[in-house]
PDB file of all heavy atoms in Angstrom:
ATOM      1  N   ALA B 302      74.337  47.369  79.819  1.00  0.00           N
ATOM      2  CA  ALA B 302      75.518  47.644  80.656  1.00  0.00           C
ATOM      3  C   ALA B 302      76.582  46.568  80.435  1.00  0.00           C
ATOM      4  O   ALA B 302      77.778  46.868  80.349  1.00  0.00           O
ATOM      5  CB  ALA B 302      75.108  47.716  82.128  1.00  0.00           C
ATOM      6  N   GLY B 303      76.150  45.302  80.323  1.00  0.00           N
ATOM      7  CA  GLY B 303      77.088  44.211  80.063  1.00  0.00           C
ATOM      8  C   GLY B 303      77.813  44.389  78.735  1.00  0.00           C
ATOM      9  O   GLY B 303      79.033  44.244  78.659  1.00  0.00           O
ATOM     10  N   PHE B 304      77.078  44.735  77.677  1.00  0.00           N
ATOM     11  CA  PHE B 304      77.700  44.947  76.366  1.00  0.00           C
ATOM     12  C   PHE B 304      78.671  46.134  76.410  1.00  0.00           C
ATOM     13  O   PHE B 304      79.730  46.109  75.785  1.00  0.00           O
ATOM     14  CB  PHE B 304      76.637  45.184  75.293  1.00  0.00           C
ATOM     15  CG  PHE B 304      75.884  43.949  74.898  1.00  0.00           C
ATOM     16  CD1 PHE B 304      74.502  43.878  75.012  1.00  0.00           C
ATOM     17  CD2 PHE B 304      76.564  42.844  74.397  1.00  0.00           C
ATOM     18  CE1 PHE B 304      73.807  42.736  74.650  1.00  0.00           C
ATOM     19  CE2 PHE B 304      75.879  41.703  74.023  1.00  0.00           C
ATOM     20  CZ  PHE B 304      74.502  41.652  74.157  1.00  0.00           C
ATOM     21  N   THR B 305      78.294  47.186  77.144  1.00  0.00           N
ATOM     22  CA  THR B 305      79.174  48.355  77.238  1.00  0.00           C
ATOM     23  C   THR B 305      80.478  47.982  77.932  1.00  0.00           C
ATOM     24  O   THR B 305      81.565  48.424  77.517  1.00  0.00           O
ATOM     25  CB  THR B 305      78.471  49.492  78.009  1.00  0.00           C
ATOM     26  OG1 THR B 305      77.151  49.657  77.489  1.00  0.00           O
ATOM     27  CG2 THR B 305      79.234  50.800  77.855  1.00  0.00           C
ATOM     28  N   LEU B 306      80.370  47.143  78.963  1.00  0.00           N
ATOM     29  CA  LEU B 306      81.579  46.699  79.668  1.00  0.00           C
ATOM     30  C   LEU B 306      82.467  45.859  78.739  1.00  0.00           C
ATOM     31  O   LEU B 306      83.702  46.045  78.722  1.00  0.00           O
ATOM     32  CB  LEU B 306      81.168  45.892  80.911  1.00  0.00           C
ATOM     33  CG  LEU B 306      82.255  45.654  81.960  1.00  0.00           C
ATOM     34  CD1 LEU B 306      82.818  46.976  82.457  1.00  0.00           C
ATOM     35  CD2 LEU B 306      81.708  44.854  83.134  1.00  0.00           C
ATOM     36  N   ILE B 307      81.874  44.962  77.963  1.00  0.00           N
ATOM     37  CA  ILE B 307      82.656  44.178  76.987  1.00  0.00           C
ATOM     38  C   ILE B 307      83.348  45.125  76.011  1.00  0.00           C
ATOM     39  O   ILE B 307      84.533  44.969  75.691  1.00  0.00           O
ATOM     40  CB  ILE B 307      81.748  43.201  76.205  1.00  0.00           C
ATOM     41  CG1 ILE B 307      81.148  42.148  77.130  1.00  0.00           C
ATOM     42  CG2 ILE B 307      82.535  42.525  75.078  1.00  0.00           C
ATOM     43  CD1 ILE B 307      80.121  41.253  76.448  1.00  0.00           C
ATOM     44  N   CYS B 308      82.600  46.124  75.541  1.00  0.00           N
ATOM     45  CA  CYS B 308      83.151  47.087  74.582  1.00  0.00           C
ATOM     46  C   CYS B 308      84.348  47.822  75.176  1.00  0.00           C
ATOM     47  O   CYS B 308      85.397  47.954  74.533  1.00  0.00           O
ATOM     48  CB  CYS B 308      82.048  48.071  74.187  1.00  0.00           C
ATOM     49  SG  CYS B 308      82.623  49.442  73.196  1.00  0.00           S
ATOM     50  N   LEU B 309      84.213  48.293  76.415  1.00  0.00           N
ATOM     51  CA  LEU B 309      85.292  49.065  77.052  1.00  0.00           C
ATOM     52  C   LEU B 309      86.527  48.197  77.289  1.00  0.00           C
ATOM     53  O   LEU B 309      87.661  48.615  76.993  1.00  0.00           O
ATOM     54  CB  LEU B 309      84.801  49.647  78.388  1.00  0.00           C
ATOM     55  CG  LEU B 309      83.816  50.809  78.296  1.00  0.00           C
ATOM     56  CD1 LEU B 309      83.177  51.083  79.658  1.00  0.00           C
ATOM     57  CD2 LEU B 309      84.505  52.066  77.777  1.00  0.00           C
ATOM     58  N   ILE B 310      86.326  46.972  77.805  1.00  0.00           N
ATOM     59  CA  ILE B 310      87.481  46.121  78.127  1.00  0.00           C
ATOM     60  C   ILE B 310      88.167  45.635  76.856  1.00  0.00           C
ATOM     61  O   ILE B 310      89.401  45.700  76.735  1.00  0.00           O
ATOM     62  CB  ILE B 310      87.043  44.927  79.016  1.00  0.00           C
ATOM     63  CG1 ILE B 310      86.520  45.439  80.365  1.00  0.00           C
ATOM     64  CG2 ILE B 310      88.208  43.969  79.232  1.00  0.00           C
ATOM     65  CD1 ILE B 310      85.932  44.365  81.254  1.00  0.00           C
ATOM     66  N   SER B 311      87.375  45.171  75.868  1.00  0.00           N
ATOM     67  CA  SER B 311      88.001  44.691  74.623  1.00  0.00           C
ATOM     68  C   SER B 311      88.668  45.853  73.889  1.00  0.00           C
ATOM     69  O   SER B 311      89.712  45.672  73.252  1.00  0.00           O
ATOM     70  CB  SER B 311      86.963  43.994  73.731  1.00  0.00           C
ATOM     71  OG  SER B 311      85.955  44.900  73.332  1.00  0.00           O
ATOM     72  N   GLY B 312      88.091  47.049  73.986  1.00  0.00           N
ATOM     73  CA  GLY B 312      88.702  48.219  73.349  1.00  0.00           C
ATOM     74  C   GLY B 312      90.033  48.552  73.979  1.00  0.00           C
ATOM     75  O   GLY B 312      91.006  48.898  73.301  1.00  0.00           O
ATOM     76  N   SER B 313      90.085  48.425  75.301  1.00  0.00           N
ATOM     77  CA  SER B 313      91.323  48.685  76.030  1.00  0.00           C
ATOM     78  C   SER B 313      92.397  47.671  75.625  1.00  0.00           C
ATOM     79  O   SER B 313      93.564  48.023  75.396  1.00  0.00           O
ATOM     80  CB  SER B 313      91.026  48.609  77.526  1.00  0.00           C
ATOM     81  OG  SER B 313      92.100  49.069  78.268  1.00  0.00           O
ATOM     82  N   LEU B 314      91.966  46.391  75.508  1.00  0.00           N
ATOM     83  CA  LEU B 314      92.899  45.326  75.114  1.00  0.00           C
ATOM     84  C   LEU B 314      93.351  45.481  73.657  1.00  0.00           C
ATOM     85  O   LEU B 314      94.375  44.943  73.254  1.00  0.00           O
ATOM     86  CB  LEU B 314      92.229  43.958  75.290  1.00  0.00           C
ATOM     87  CG  LEU B 314      92.094  43.476  76.730  1.00  0.00           C
ATOM     88  CD1 LEU B 314      91.053  42.370  76.834  1.00  0.00           C
ATOM     89  CD2 LEU B 314      93.435  42.985  77.255  1.00  0.00           C
ATOM     90  N   TRP B 315      92.598  46.204  72.874  1.00  0.00           N
ATOM     91  CA  TRP B 315      92.963  46.476  71.483  1.00  0.00           C
ATOM     92  C   TRP B 315      93.836  47.730  71.408  1.00  0.00           C
ATOM     93  O   TRP B 315      94.732  47.842  70.569  1.00  0.00           O
ATOM     94  CB  TRP B 315      91.691  46.663  70.662  1.00  0.00           C
ATOM     95  CG  TRP B 315      91.831  46.429  69.202  1.00  0.00           C
ATOM     96  CD1 TRP B 315      92.945  46.007  68.525  1.00  0.00           C
ATOM     97  CD2 TRP B 315      90.809  46.604  68.219  1.00  0.00           C
ATOM     98  NE1 TRP B 315      92.669  45.909  67.190  1.00  0.00           N
ATOM     99  CE2 TRP B 315      91.367  46.266  66.972  1.00  0.00           C
ATOM    100  CE3 TRP B 315      89.460  47.010  68.274  1.00  0.00           C
ATOM    101  CZ2 TRP B 315      90.623  46.341  65.779  1.00  0.00           C
ATOM    102  CZ3 TRP B 315      88.740  47.069  67.094  1.00  0.00           C
ATOM    103  CH2 TRP B 315      89.312  46.731  65.866  1.00  0.00           C
ATOM    104  N   GLY B 316      93.551  48.683  72.292  1.00  0.00           N
ATOM    105  CA  GLY B 316      94.268  49.952  72.269  1.00  0.00           C
ATOM    106  C   GLY B 316      95.731  49.811  72.659  1.00  0.00           C
ATOM    107  O   GLY B 316      96.603  50.443  72.056  1.00  0.00           O
ATOM    108  N   GLU B 317      95.993  48.958  73.655  1.00  0.00           N
ATOM    109  CA  GLU B 317      97.377  48.836  74.134  1.00  0.00           C
ATOM    110  C   GLU B 317      98.339  48.389  73.018  1.00  0.00           C
ATOM    111  O   GLU B 317      99.343  49.056  72.787  1.00  0.00           O
ATOM    112  CB  GLU B 317      97.412  47.887  75.341  1.00  0.00           C
ATOM    113  CG  GLU B 317      98.797  47.501  75.833  1.00  0.00           C
ATOM    114  CD  GLU B 317      99.638  48.684  76.335  1.00  0.00           C
ATOM    115  OE1 GLU B 317      99.071  49.740  76.645  1.00  0.00           O
ATOM    116  OE2 GLU B 317     100.873  48.526  76.380  1.00  0.00           O
TER     117      GLU B 317
END
Side-chain angles (χ1 to χ4, degrees):
Chain B
F304 286 122
T305 312
L306 195 58
I307 295 173
C308 172
L309 287 167
I310 296 174
S311 63
S313 190
L314 285 162
W315 203 3
E317 172 62 19

